[in-house]
Amino acid sequence: MPELIEAPSRVEAAGTKPKLIDEYVGRVNTGEDRVSVAHMRSPAGWVEPGQRPDFDEYTVVLSGRMVVEHEGGTLEVPAGQGVLTRAGEWIRYSTPEGAEYIAVCLPAFSPDTVHRDDS
């Protein structure tokens, strides 16, 4: 039987400016550890610490532009496109002009498995 997810849970974000994270599926909102699905709204100038997560992350940019730094360079992801970052890769996300996007993590995002750079 289908199960309605009535509302997301607001999750605290890392980074240089406040970013809104509304988790629909994941450890916080549904207790799910296999996958997380979150709606992100990131302001202009937001930069997240670098990380080497233990999960794959699929991101679909709905508006704005996301920049993904990685060990081989930089990738720009405009609205209407997506990006896959794989577990074990070093990455750093930023939104120079701001962005709205959906992030799906397999397995689900966890602060214990994101492995952010020390700052």
Side-chain angles (χ1 to χ4, degrees), residues 7-77:
S9 291
R10 180 67 43 94
V11 178
E12 186 176 344
T16 57
K17 293 185 171 188
K19 173 176 86 166
L20 300 178
I21 301 176
D22 290 327
E23 181 187 273
Y24 283 83
V25 177
R27 297 174 194 274
V28 175
N29 200 51
T30 61
E32 177 63 63
D33 62 1
R34 295 173 298 168
V35 64
S36 59
V37 179
H39 180 199
M40 316 282 209
R41 288 172 302 284
S42 177
W46 173 80
V47 178
E48 186 173 49
Q51 58 192 27
R52 193 177 297 273
D54 291 338
F55 48 82
D56 290 346
E57 185 166 355
Y58 297 83
T59 303
V60 177
V61 180
L62 304 173
S63 66
R65 176 175 64 98
M66 173 181 280
V67 174
V68 183
E69 294 174 67
H70 54 92
E71 290 174 315
T74 301
L75 180 66
E76 295 196 16
V77 187

Side-chain angles (χ1 to χ4, degrees), residues 46-117:
W46 173 80
V47 178
E48 186 173 49
Q51 58 192 27
R52 193 177 297 273
D54 291 338
F55 48 82
D56 290 346
E57 185 166 355
Y58 297 83
T59 303
V60 177
V61 180
L62 304 173
S63 66
R65 176 175 64 98
M66 173 181 280
V67 174
V68 183
E69 294 174 67
H70 54 92
E71 290 174 315
T74 301
L75 180 66
E76 295 196 16
V77 187
Q81 294 188 345
V83 62
L84 165 60
T85 58
R86 299 205 183 270
E89 294 180 322
W90 180 87
I91 52 170
R92 178 171 40 216
Y93 298 111
S94 63
T95 56
E97 294 92 33
E100 181 176 1
Y101 53 99
I102 301 293
V104 177
C105 299
L106 293 166
F109 174 89
S110 166
D112 295 333
T113 61
V114 72
H115 308 297
R116 290 195 176 98
D117 294 348

